[in-house]
Amino acid sequence: MSNRQDPRARSGFDRRRFLTTAALGGATIVGASALGGLDADAAFAAPSPSLDPAIAKSAFAEGRITAIKGTVLEVAGSYGDRHLIQLTNATSVWKLHTTTADAIEVGDGLYARGVDMPDGTIAADAVWVNIVNLFCTIRGIAKDRLHLTHGDGNHAVVGRIVPRTTTASYLGGSLTPDLSRVRIGQSAQVLGAWRPADDSVDIARVTVGH
């Protein structure tokens, strides 16, 4: 998982909505959907200033969820740090699809963006669950999956093609559900959601020829 970024593009001011207020120390939380979307690309997009003047900067956290206590996620970071992620009624949740907090499970990986609170928690405006961003090589193609390798050790991973979800982008072009131009041996970027149970990845988008 990556470890920071804000949405790439902002929606127009008319779409701006303050989805909740006052719940946590008087802070105002702007839901990610009001800032331009919650797709996989948004997690890795270039930082942009907050639309909310009350928020000087965003906070970020990543790691594995070790416990869920009410609306607070306890997260063990990859570098030995720990985070408490407070979900609010403004928090947008992505787990291959936009979903709800009920889809979050202990053991899931997490990447969250939000606001530091006085009590030490991060009030999340956006949470991406199990999101992965792999630069890999396509080693095999089947009807319902791509066989991939990534990293210095050419680690093998299965990328599952999810009907009505998986899209492709060729040479940076627009997204299409047509994967017929994906070829064995191509370098590819895969955005998707990791499946902890079998270490495979549900593919949200595969980009080739970039």
Side-chain angles (χ1 to χ4, degrees):
M1 291 182 287
S2 177
N3 64 2
R4 45 196 320 146
Q5 314 303 341
D6 270 0
R8 173 181 308 175
R10 301 187 224 166
S11 55
F13 186 81
D14 58 334
R15 290 183 56 202
R16 179 182 177 186
R17 290 189 300 144
F18 293 96
L19 300 181
T20 188
T21 59
L24 298 158
T28 300
I29 311 299
V30 180
S33 58
L35 292 175
L38 188 70
D39 60 13
D41 290 296
F44 302 106
S48 61
S50 170
L51 288 175
D52 187 346
I55 301 174
K57 64 177 183 179
S58 296
F60 301 89
E62 61 80 30
R64 295 288 295 274
I65 299 169
T66 57
I68 301 174
K69 297 181 178 178
T71 57
V72 176
L73 309 178
E74 296 185 5
V75 176
S78 299
Y79 303 99
D81 45 351
R82 302 189 67 81
H83 309 282
L84 297 176
I85 307 300
Q86 173 70 61
L87 304 178
T88 77
N89 61 350
T91 304
S92 299
V93 179
W94 182 96
K95 194 174 184 180
L96 191 64
H97 309 277
T98 301
T99 183
T100 66
D102 293 338
I104 301 174
E105 302 177 68
V106 172
D108 282 341
L110 171 144
Y111 168 74
R113 182 193 62 208
V115 179
D116 285 321
M117 304 306 297
D119 63 0
T121 65
I122 294 175
D125 76 309
V127 169
W128 288 267
V129 179
N130 292 339
I131 190 168
V132 293
N133 178 19
L134 299 176
F135 291 90
C136 50
T137 301
I138 296 170
R139 299 299 187 188
I141 301 173
K143 181 178 180 181
D144 61 348
R145 63 191 60 198
L146 300 178
H147 294 275
L148 312 165
T149 57
H150 73 98
D152 294 337
N154 284 325
H155 301 293
V157 62
V158 172
R160 299 178 182 274
I161 298 169
V162 183
R164 295 179 297 280
T165 297
T166 301
T167 59
S169 175
Y170 303 98
L171 296 172
S174 58
L175 298 177
T176 171
D178 178 13
L179 273 62
S180 64
R181 286 185 283 161
V182 175
R183 298 285 185 265
I184 294 173
Q186 284 180 313
S187 297
Q189 179 189 17
V190 170
L191 294 177
W194 171 57
R195 287 190 183 197
D198 62 7
D199 211 25
S200 64
V201 170
D202 288 331
I203 299 174
R205 191 195 75 196
V206 55
T207 299
V208 295
H210 52 89

